[in-house]
């Protein structure tokens, strides 16, 4: 009965409305992030069919190029908007037409082609931010490519007509080397480019570590606050002098923390699901088959393995915060106490985002491996790419760390360390003051 | 042997070093009898809280022992904890809880059955006199209200001995008086108290016996009247001053 009361109290302390709201917000955020990314991709798809062009040459050839832009192939139709400009103050022209980019066929365009010189076109675009998605001017990119193709075709046609090239030679020159891309994932093989695969799993690799990071921080903060508040309000003194097992006091805290951790892990998995590859999206059919064939989809087993890793990670973070919280001297210091934990989380987080840790040079690699959270950030990579030994090794290491952390926590709570730990520093500080006074 | 003479708490040569060589409390000896109110009297940093925390089984003594109803704090802390309640100085309560929830939670910690816990809560509700405010979050309580809630919590299981560190700090005169009366009342019913304070007048009024403590040493022990007579003093403040000065002139 006492234990149930303890557990209820800990849950009430840790699962405040605030933390629950935070978790809900995280799910919503991840959901909308997934939606947003999809929408951005769709938009740039639609944008690529909208071309704005200015024909200063105005010759039969330039006009035929415009026609070609509108209808380059049998099943491709573009919306071509022809504008006129009055000056070469491009900033003003962009404003006047209320567009972000356009392409100019300059005067003498046809002549230079006729003379066998390299022709020039002008691609005007306005850069509005440093973010990746915002500077793609899909329409103009299409136009530039199509104009290249049109000029090429015109030149080839000319050569063919004058009998200097055969049709076959032309098509060969179009693509002199065909790259047959074979990508191997673990031991599976598929005919697809790594870049394409990467772009499909991109949202996961970018956001998942971030979410792990947020969850670790959220959980640790909750625990440090709960423990330090209990210590500073001296409710802990009351509790530890009461006829209730100290192991129960600690166990209630850990179990409540584990519930919070489980909840976090669940949120993580729901979020991952929302962000993961949407197979119906605009990728070709056989591409999706390829992804599946390569084992790059998240099946139940993968989810479970990642979930286990996440749970162990949260428990480590929480028992570490339990220890850290025991050293709190005041409310402010409880916030600073969490700093070391943040640092050992952000280092592997950054490393895993930009590097393949397992290929780093020896010392750096093992230093990173020594941080238990590194293995969390590497888990999904390890599972997807068949690095089973690394995954299991990491998990075992994490469990060992967890047991040690829990052992320390038990020691602190069952001895009088929790009441003497922090104040040692306090009395040290006092002594210093005395020296100054003298 | 009369009832007054049954020792509830026996403190024997109790010492604590936080750091090697520096005693926060040194060779402290005293007993608290059944129904007696014993007060540790001393200036800031004298070692009152340290001594109390050892008795409450929170700190491990460096030397010596204390026994509550014969159970040692060193070898039998679980039995000791069944026989005492402890109110730390400047303590707070779980801020997310409502007053009544807090009482219920603490009652669960001390009671052996649901009925017993319900009885404790009822007692505490009467003692703290917080009325409807018990349904508000503790967050919204004033210092004095929190103190009253905690005092009620400490007293509600009516343990053999209640240990109160600075029981009336933060309370106004009316409330402090009320608390003192309550302590006297409960003591007359057989509950023992170990208090600490630096408010000499309060101690003089409320306690049966006092121990004067300074720099970790228990310097004098006796009833307020005995001590006043011994040092030919008007009140405990004067006794305290003389005791501390005498010792200091002897050069420790
Ligand atoms: N956790 C600790 N670590 C180291 N030194 C401590 C610790 N707690 C107390 N002390 C020191 O032990 C001595 C006695 O402190 P204690 O808290 O027992 O005094 P006190 O009589 O309760 O004082 P006050 O009236 O201010 O509450 C002081 O010098 C204090 O600095
Ligand atoms: Mg004190």
């Amino acid at each position: 009965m006492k234990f149930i009361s303890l557990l209820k109290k800990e849950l009430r302390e840790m699962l405040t409305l605030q933390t629950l709201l935070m978790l809900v917000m995280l799910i919503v955020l991840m959901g909308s992030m997934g939606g947003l990314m999809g929408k951005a991709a769709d938009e740039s798809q639609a944008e690529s069919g909208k071309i704005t062009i200015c024909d200063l040459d105005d010759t039969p050839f330039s006009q035929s190029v415009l026609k070609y832009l509108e209808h380059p192939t049998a099943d491709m139709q573009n919306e071509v908007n022809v504008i006129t400009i009055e000056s070469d103050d491009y900033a003003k022209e962009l404003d006047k037409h209320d567009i972000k980019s356009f392409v100019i066929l300059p005067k003498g365009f046809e002549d230079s082609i006729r003379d066998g010189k390299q022709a020039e076109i002008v691609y005007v675009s306005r850069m509005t931010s440093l973010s990746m998605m915002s500077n793609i001017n899909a329409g103009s990119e299409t136009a530039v490519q199509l104009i290249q193709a049109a000029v090429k075709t015109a030149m080839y046609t000319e050569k063919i007509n004058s009998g200097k090239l055969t049709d076959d030679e032309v098509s060969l020159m179009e693509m002199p080397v065909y790259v047959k891309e074979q990508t191997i994932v673990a031991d599976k093989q598929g005919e697809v480019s790594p870049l394409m695969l990467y772009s499909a799993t991109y949202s996961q690799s970018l956001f998942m570590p971030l979410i792990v990071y947020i969850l670790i921080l959220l959980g640790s903060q909750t625990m440090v606050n709960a423990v330090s508040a209990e210590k500073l309000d001296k409710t802990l003194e009351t509790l530890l002098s009461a006829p209730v097992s100290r192991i129960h006091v600690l166990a209630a805290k850990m179990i409540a923390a584990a519930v919070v951790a489980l909840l976090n892990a669940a949120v993580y998995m729901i979020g991952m699901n929302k962000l993961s590859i949407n197979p119906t999206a605009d990728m070709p059919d056989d591409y999706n088959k390829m992804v599946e064939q390569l084992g790059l989809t998240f099946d139940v087993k993968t989810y479970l393995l990642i979930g286990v890793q996440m749970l162990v990670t949260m428990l480590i973070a929480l028992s570490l915060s339990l220890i850290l919280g025991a050293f709190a001297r005041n409310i402010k210091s409880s916030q600073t106490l969490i700093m070391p934990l943040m640092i050992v989380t952000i280092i592997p987080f950054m490393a895993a985002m930009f590097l393949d840790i397992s290929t780093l040079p020896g010392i750096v690699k093992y230093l990173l491996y020594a941080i238990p959270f590194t293995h969390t950030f590497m888990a999904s990579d390890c599972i997807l790419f068949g690095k089973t030994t690394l995954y299991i090794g990491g998990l075992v290491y994490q469990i060992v760390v967890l047991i040690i952390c829990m052992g320390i926590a038990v020691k602190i709570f069952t001895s009088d360390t929790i009441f003497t730990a922090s104040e040692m520093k306090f009395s040290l500080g006092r002594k210093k003051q005395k020296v100054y006074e003298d | 042997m009369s009832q007054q003479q049954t020792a509830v708490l026996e403190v024997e040569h109790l010492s604590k070093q936080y750091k090697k060589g520096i005693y926060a409390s040194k060779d402290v000896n005293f007993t608290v009898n059944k129904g007696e109110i014993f007060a540790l009297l001393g200036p800031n940093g004298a070692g009152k809280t340290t001594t109390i925390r050892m008795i409450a089984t929170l700190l491990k003594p460096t030397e010596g022992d204390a026994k509550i109803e014969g159970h040692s704090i060193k070898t039998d802390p679980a039995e000791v904890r069944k026989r005492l309640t402890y109110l730390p100085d400047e303590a707070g309560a779980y801020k997310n809880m409502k007053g009544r929830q807090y009482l219920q939670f603490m009652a669960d910690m001390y009671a052996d059955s649901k009925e017993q816990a319900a009885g404790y809560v009822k007692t505490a509700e009467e003692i703290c006199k917080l009325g409807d405010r018990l349904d508000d979050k503790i967050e919204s309580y004033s210092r004095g209200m929190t103190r009253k809630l905690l005092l009620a919590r400490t007293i509600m299981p009516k343990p053999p001995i209640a240990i109160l560190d600075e029981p009336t700090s933060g309370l106004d005169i009316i409330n402090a008086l009320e608390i003192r009366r309550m302590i006297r009342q409960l003591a007359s019913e057989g509950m023992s108290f170990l208090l600490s304070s630096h408010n000499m007048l309060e101690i003089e009024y409320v306690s049966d016996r006092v121990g004067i403590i300074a720099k970790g040493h228990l310097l004098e022990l006796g009833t307020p009247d005995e001590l006043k007579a011994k040092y030919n003093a008007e009140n405990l403040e004067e006794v305290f001053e003389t005791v501390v000065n005498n010792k200091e002139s002897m050069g420790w």
Side-chain angles (χ1 to χ4, degrees):
Chain A
M1 185 183 93
K2 286 182 186 179
F3 184 70
I4 300 291
S5 301
L6 276 170
L7 189 59
K8 244 169 54 188
K9 171 223 137 201
E10 295 298 349
L11 282 174
R12 191 153 38 198
E13 291 281 296
M14 288 188 212
L15 277 182
T16 53
L17 202 62
Q18 210 179 341
T19 35
L20 283 175
L21 275 177
M22 201 72 162
L23 287 178
V24 172
M25 256 167 55
L26 217 56
I27 297 188
V28 172
L29 195 78
M30 285 189 282
S32 53
M33 197 86 91
L36 227 66
M37 300 269 298
K39 211 173 138 213
D42 286 352
E43 259 170 23
S44 86
Q45 186 85 11
E47 282 274 303
S48 69
K50 285 187 192 140
I51 297 170
T52 306
I53 194 160
C54 168
D55 182 9
L56 293 179
D57 200 29
D58 203 18
T59 55
F61 181 65
S62 72
Q63 278 158 17
S64 74
V65 167
L66 292 191
K67 280 240 163 53
Y68 174 72
L69 286 180
E70 254 173 51
H71 200 61
T73 59
D75 56 355
M76 197 171 164
Q77 190 81 40
N78 292 322
E79 188 186 320
V80 177
N81 175 23
V82 183
I83 57 166
T84 54
I85 56 172
E86 275 130 34
S87 65
D88 48 9
D89 182 350
Y90 298 137
K92 223 168 83 194
E93 297 298 337
L94 283 177
D95 285 341
K96 199 176 81 188
H97 294 100
D98 193 21
I99 44 177
K100 273 178 73 188
S101 73
F102 66 100
V103 175
I104 304 171
L105 298 177
K107 197 131 197 65
F109 177 69
E110 183 180 340
D111 287 346
S112 16
I113 292 171
R114 219 168 273 297
D115 297 348
K117 288 198 218 125
Q118 192 172 33
E120 188 184 85
I121 57 173
V122 183
Y123 173 7
V124 180
S125 70
R126 167 170 278 155
M127 190 160 176
T128 51
S129 99
L130 288 178
S131 108
M132 276 183 301
M133 299 292 260
S134 63
N135 288 312
I136 300 167
N137 294 298
S140 296
E141 308 272 356
T142 321
V144 169
Q145 273 169 24
L146 287 177
I147 293 168
Q148 298 273 21
V151 172
K152 229 193 246 175
T153 314
M155 287 170 78
Y156 287 149
T157 316
E158 163 100 25
K159 299 276 182 211
I160 292 168
N161 288 348
S162 60
K164 284 179 185 149
L165 274 173
T166 66
D167 271 352
D168 284 350
E169 279 170 327
V170 170
S171 55
L172 185 64
M173 277 171 72
E174 280 286 339
M175 207 186 214
V177 178
Y178 171 70
V179 185
K180 186 169 170 187
E181 291 189 275
Q182 291 284 354
T183 300
I184 318 286
V185 175
D187 49 1
K188 297 179 192 117
Q189 184 172 339
E191 197 175 322
V192 60
S193 95
L195 201 67
M196 244 181 128
L197 283 179
Y198 176 72
S199 70
T201 48
Y202 168 77
S203 63
Q204 282 173 34
S205 53
L206 193 65
F207 290 112
M208 278 307 124
L210 183 66
I211 287 152
V212 175
Y213 180 68
I214 293 175
L215 288 180
I216 291 178
L217 279 198
L218 218 69
S220 310
Q221 198 105 49
T222 314
M223 192 64 165
V224 166
N225 287 346
V227 176
S228 61
E230 181 127 51
K231 183 180 170 171
L232 298 171
D233 284 340
K234 302 197 177 170
T235 47
L236 192 63
E237 287 186 35
T238 307
L239 212 51
L240 296 188
S241 68
V244 33
S245 152
R246 290 183 177 194
I247 297 294
H248 282 186
V249 173
L250 195 66
K253 270 210 185 342
M254 280 316 281
I255 292 177
V259 170
V260 177
L262 264 173
L263 216 69
N264 283 358
V267 166
Y268 174 79
M269 291 203 292
I270 295 172
M272 183 151 67
N273 201 1
K274 292 220 163 151
L275 272 182
S276 69
I277 327 167
N278 182 359
T280 59
D282 27 69
M283 293 293 179
D285 255 4
D286 44 344
Y287 166 79
N288 284 322
K289 255 184 236 138
M290 203 56 74
V291 170
E292 236 164 84
Q293 183 192 326
L294 288 174
L296 283 182
T297 47
F298 284 64
D299 54 13
V300 178
K301 194 181 120 220
T302 316
Y303 273 116
L304 274 179
L305 288 178
I306 294 181
V308 166
Q309 184 92 32
M310 201 46 211
L311 182 64
V312 174
T313 300
M314 284 311 294
L315 285 174
I316 292 178
L318 292 170
S319 51
L320 270 177
S321 350
L322 195 99
I323 296 169
L324 290 174
F327 287 83
R329 275 174 291 151
N330 50 50
I331 296 292
K332 249 201 199 135
S333 90
S334 76
Q335 296 301 313
T336 12
L337 276 170
I338 210 166
M339 279 299 284
L341 196 64
M342 276 169 76
I343 292 167
V344 298
T345 319
I346 202 160
I347 291 173
F349 164 45
M350 287 294 172
M353 200 142 95
F354 299 114
L355 307 163
D356 180 356
I357 295 172
S358 59
T359 60
L360 289 175
I363 306 174
V364 183
K365 181 168 78 176
Y366 290 112
L367 273 179
L368 280 172
Y369 280 175
I371 302 173
F373 301 123
T374 304
H375 304 283
T376 316
F377 291 112
M378 290 174 63
S380 61
D381 252 26
C382 286
I383 295 165
L384 286 182
F385 295 102
K387 302 176 202 163
T388 320
T389 333
L390 200 53
Y391 170 82
I392 294 176
L395 191 61
V396 168
Y397 175 64
Q398 284 189 319
I399 291 173
V400 171
V401 171
L402 177 60
I403 291 171
I404 293 174
C405 289
M406 287 223 189
I408 295 175
V410 169
K411 184 106 186 69
I412 287 180
F413 272 76
T414 51
S415 69
D416 60 7
T417 317
I418 187 146
F419 300 116
T420 52
S422 60
E423 284 160 45
M424 272 195 270
K425 274 190 201 149
F426 184 55
S427 58
L428 251 149
R430 248 198 215 168
K431 234 193 211 154
K432 262 191 211 142
Q433 250 177 5
K434 250 192 195 156
V435 174
Y436 290 129
E437 277 166 20
D438 284 349
Chain B
M1 204 200 247
S2 82
Q3 201 196 29
Q4 283 300 105
Q5 295 311 308
T6 324
V8 174
L9 168 66
E10 296 159 281
V11 178
E12 297 152 1
H13 309 294
L14 207 54
S15 302
K16 179 71 187 177
Q17 292 181 339
Y18 287 107
K19 272 179 293 174
K20 276 242 157 58
I22 302 169
Y23 281 94
S25 118
K26 169 91 179 154
D27 197 18
V28 173
N29 294 282
F30 64 89
T31 47
V32 179
N33 294 321
K34 188 164 166 59
E36 189 178 37
I37 302 169
F38 183 91
L40 283 171
L41 200 56
N44 293 123
K48 303 183 294 290
T49 301
T50 303
T51 306
I52 282 177
R53 276 176 161 183
M54 282 190 282
I55 298 167
T57 73
L58 298 174
L59 288 178
K60 297 213 163 56
T62 316
E63 289 134 39
D65 198 356
K67 288 185 184 128
I68 293 184
E69 295 188 333
H71 298 279
S72 156
I73 57 167
K74 279 171 119 172
T75 57
D76 210 1
E79 285 302 313
V80 171
R81 288 181 197 132
K82 284 183 194 159
R83 290 169 169 77
L84 65 81
T85 56
Y86 168 48
L87 174 64
D89 65 337
E90 289 177 359
Y94 302 103
K95 299 203 171 62
N96 282 330
M97 284 191 188
K98 292 169 182 160
R100 211 182 300 278
Q101 283 175 329
Y102 175 73
L103 291 177
Q104 181 65 54
F105 168 66
M106 288 312 297
D108 288 345
M109 294 301 107
Y110 286 98
D112 295 320
S113 66
K114 269 209 160 76
E115 295 70 40
Q116 199 175 22
Y120 289 174
V121 173
K122 202 155 165 277
T123 311
E125 283 171 357
E126 282 161 17
I127 295 174
C128 70
K129 300 209 172 73
L130 285 170
D132 287 344
R133 295 301 305 269
L134 277 174
D135 294 316
D136 292 341
K137 276 207 172 166
I138 295 175
E139 214 169 24
S140 71
Y141 287 13
S142 73
R143 245 166 79 90
M145 287 167 71
T146 310
R147 200 70 187 156
K148 282 206 278 187
L149 182 76
L150 293 180
L151 265 164
R153 178 279 288 166
T154 313
I155 292 166
M156 70 185 174
K158 307 239 167 97
I161 185 163
I163 303 176
L164 315 177
D165 201 353
E166 318 254 353
T168 56
S169 77
L171 290 183
D172 61 34
I173 298 172
I174 306 283
N175 280 307
L177 260 174
E178 212 174 281
I179 296 296
R180 281 176 219 147
R181 280 201 195 105
M182 193 191 311
I183 290 174
R184 284 233 70 96
Q185 167 68 31
L186 285 163
S188 72
E189 290 167 17
M191 207 169 129
S192 306
F193 286 89
L194 170 61
L195 317 177
S196 93
S197 181
H198 27 179
N199 181 344
M200 315 278 169
L201 293 173
E202 163 176 311
I203 293 300
E204 194 168 346
Y205 168 77
V206 79
S207 38
D208 300 314
R209 268 184 328 126
V210 298
I212 294 177
I213 188 170
K215 295 194 179 168
H217 294 260
L218 192 66
L219 302 177
E220 267 297 353
L221 209 61
T223 66
D225 288 337
E226 279 169 12
L227 292 178
K228 279 189 283 186
K230 182 171 173 187
Y231 289 91
N232 196 14
E234 287 276 303
N235 53 39
L236 276 181
E237 259 165 39
E238 284 180 32
V239 173
F240 184 80
E241 201 186 3
T242 320
V243 171
V244 173
N245 284 343
N246 281 354
K247 280 285 170 179
E248 255 166 16
S249 62
M250 282 163 69
W252 51 267

